[in-house]
Amino acid sequence: MNSGGLLGKAGMDGKMALGYLGVMIFMVGEGLEMGWLSAYLIESGLTVQQSALLFSIYGFAVAIAAWLSGVLAEILGVRKAMLIGVAMFATGTVIFLTAGIPSMNLGVMIPTYSLRGLGYPLFAYSFLVWITYYAPQEKLGTAVGWFWVSFAGGLNVLGAYYSSFALPYLGEVNTLWSALIFTLLGTTIAILLNNNKSSSQSKQFNTKADALKYVAKGVTIAFENPKIGLGGIVRTINTAAAYGLVVFLPTYMMDLGFTRTEWLQIYGALWTSNVIFNLIFGIVGDKLGWRNTIMWFGGVGCSITFLALFYVPTFVGANYWATTFAAILFGACLAAYVPLSALIPSLSPENKGAAMSILNLGAGLSTFIGPVIVGLLIGTVGTAGIVWIFAGLHLFSAFLMKYVTLPKSENKEIAERLKAAQ
């Protein structure tokens, strides 16, 4: 990796920059429907329960693909795994739009929308595996920070803003069709224009049985190296509250007196902050230590700021700026978990893909676990109880990080590289 020039100062080179840009554009296509598709499907004939079922199974498909992405990237090569993801996403989108939505038949909608969900983790997380191999160890936190800037920037920020402009002109179905433009453009930039031979390389296996054993290693490595398993649990907790809050917090905020537009702006500020701090905490992690950053800014920080996001408007009423500030703080602390993507693969340098599979599984499971916690418990503990459960989980993740440590020799080597790079 060439460290000179403007890109070098930003912690990347031209190959990485093309990849980041491609991932961001691809994720716009994936994220453009997040804020409105469920409501549209309910208006078009589905019940709330049917819509919830569709998105729950979709979330499970995301989790499975996220888990497989690490090992498949090493078995097939990163580029091939990414292309398979694109093919799945495009195929699922086309059938979902031509046969699923017109019929509102769950028998068609569930498998095709789930196929779409299988596609994007293979594309994005396979690229993340390549980053963990390609980026220098002393800059790995910064490198994965840039990845999450690209990922969240496309998924949570640009996708939502694009839809707000596109829906009035294109309508819901045509806006969904336009997702293919973003995904194909992102693919072109990240893969076809990024002429990088190392992204085509794969692990060499003597037999198919050996390859299948490596797929299994995407599970067994969590037991062979319990620190990696703990990292997967921490990653699940990381965004569980963020995915769970969309189920109950918007209604609560509007009951307090916020308008729908105000809430959407508060929510947008949360994720805009997260995108910015993904990079900042990647750099901070390289300087202060990956584990300490995750433990204190991530676990403890998220616990405090998530409570603030709930209690600030509860006590002061529909104060837009105070609540926005609390949301910005929570989004920033969510980003402090970013160094996990540097720390966990460093625990198993010879099997980074398998280690990343555990981490990616946690990322996928959070999209499923967050809403499930809300659905199962809100009737019993209420809104405040759910908030305290998520705050407690973040504190628990900080406790778990006490045990996720690099070997002393690895810590010493990284410290020496950091000193030499300064």
Side-chain angles (χ1 to χ4, degrees):
M1 175 181 148
N2 183 5
S3 60
L6 184 61
L7 290 177
K9 292 179 181 178
M12 68 177 87
D13 62 13
K15 294 175 181 178
M16 295 165 72
L18 282 174
Y20 293 137
L21 178 61
V23 167
M24 178 178 285
I25 294 173
F26 184 98
M27 295 309 298
V28 173
E30 161 58 27
L32 57 82
E33 84 271 13
M34 287 185 67
W36 56 268
L37 182 58
S38 178
Y40 169 71
L41 295 177
I42 293 169
E43 292 171 1
S44 300
L46 293 188
T47 65
V48 174
Q49 291 80 4
Q50 287 173 325
S51 178
L53 177 64
L54 174 68
F55 285 97
S56 295
I57 296 176
Y58 167 83
F60 184 74
V62 169
I64 295 299
W67 165 61
L68 285 173
S69 61
V71 290
L72 287 181
E74 292 206 310
I75 291 172
L76 302 174
V78 169
R79 182 174 297 187
K80 187 176 291 185
M82 292 174 74
L83 287 172
I84 290 172
V86 174
M88 286 181 168
F89 184 93
T91 302
T93 298
V94 169
I95 302 176
F96 181 71
L97 293 178
T98 55
I101 285 185
S103 67
M104 284 293 152
N105 184 336
L106 282 181
V108 178
M109 297 174 77
I110 287 176
T112 55
Y113 197 57
S114 296
L115 181 61
R116 197 174 187 268
L118 287 170
Y120 92 76
L122 278 177
F123 181 88
Y125 294 148
S126 294
F127 177 75
L128 179 57
V129 171
W130 175 73
I131 288 294
T132 65
Y133 278 103
Y134 183 76
Q137 188 80 353
E138 68 274 10
K139 294 289 184 69
L140 188 52
T142 305
V144 298
W146 275 115
F147 170 82
W148 289 112
V149 166
S150 304
F151 184 93
L155 180 68
N156 299 115
V157 179
L158 296 180
Y161 282 120
Y162 166 75
S163 283
S164 70
F165 292 111
L167 285 170
Y169 297 99
L170 300 179
E172 290 84 359
V173 173
N174 285 334
T175 298
L176 288 170
W177 274 114
S178 70
L180 293 176
I181 298 174
F182 289 102
T183 54
L184 293 177
L185 178 59
T187 301
T188 300
I189 294 172
I191 299 178
L192 301 183
L193 294 184
N194 188 0
N195 186 21
N196 179 36
K197 294 181 180 179
S198 67
S199 66
S200 300
Q201 295 173 352
S202 60
K203 278 185 177 290
Q204 299 301 312
F205 298 96
N206 295 325
T207 65
K208 290 183 178 179
D210 290 335
L212 290 174
K213 285 180 181 178
Y214 193 74
V215 172
K217 198 167 188 66
V219 173
T220 60
I221 195 171
F223 301 96
E224 296 166 3
N225 189 336
K227 293 179 182 180
I228 292 175
L230 291 178
I233 295 172
V234 172
R235 181 62 185 89
T236 302
I237 294 171
N238 174 194
T239 45
Y243 287 112
L245 71 83
V246 298
V247 179
F248 72 96
L249 205 56
T251 301
Y252 178 77
M253 291 293 187
M254 284 182 274
D255 287 343
L256 289 177
F258 289 100
T259 66
R260 186 184 302 272
T261 298
E262 286 175 330
W263 162 248
L264 288 174
Q265 290 173 349
I266 292 168
Y267 185 68
L270 187 160
W271 287 111
T272 301
S273 166
N274 178 258
V275 168
I276 295 169
F277 277 89
N278 278 334
L279 177 59
I280 292 173
F281 276 120
I283 298 170
V284 169
D286 284 338
K287 301 294 184 183
L288 299 183
W290 299 332
R291 174 171 160 267
N292 288 333
T293 301
I294 298 162
M295 183 187 301
W296 294 108
F297 292 103
V300 176
C302 278
S303 181
I304 295 170
T305 55
F306 191 61
L307 289 171
L309 178 59
F310 175 75
Y311 280 108
V312 164
T314 299
F315 289 138
V316 305
N319 187 311
Y320 174 80
W321 291 110
T323 306
T324 298
F325 183 65
I328 289 171
L329 292 178
F330 178 59
C333 289
L334 280 175
Y337 287 88
V338 155
L340 273 171
S341 298
L343 174 58
I344 298 306
S346 298
L347 292 170
S348 183
E350 301 302 316
N351 294 290
K352 289 186 176 183
M356 286 302 297
S357 284
I358 297 297
L359 204 60
N360 294 343
L361 175 62
L365 282 176
S366 68
T367 68
F368 177 71
I369 295 296
V372 165
I373 289 174
V374 177
L376 291 178
L377 298 178
I378 196 166
T380 304
V381 302
T383 302
I386 291 295
V387 171
W388 278 98
I389 287 171
F390 282 129
L393 285 173
H394 279 296
L395 279 181
F396 181 59
S397 75
F399 171 75
L400 291 180
M401 285 306 301
K402 288 180 60 179
Y403 304 99
V404 185
T405 56
L406 286 169
K408 290 183 179 180
S409 59
E410 187 76 12
N411 267 324
K412 183 178 179 181
E413 182 181 349
I414 292 173
E416 290 174 350
R417 288 179 178 176
L418 279 171
K419 186 176 180 180
Q422 290 173 352

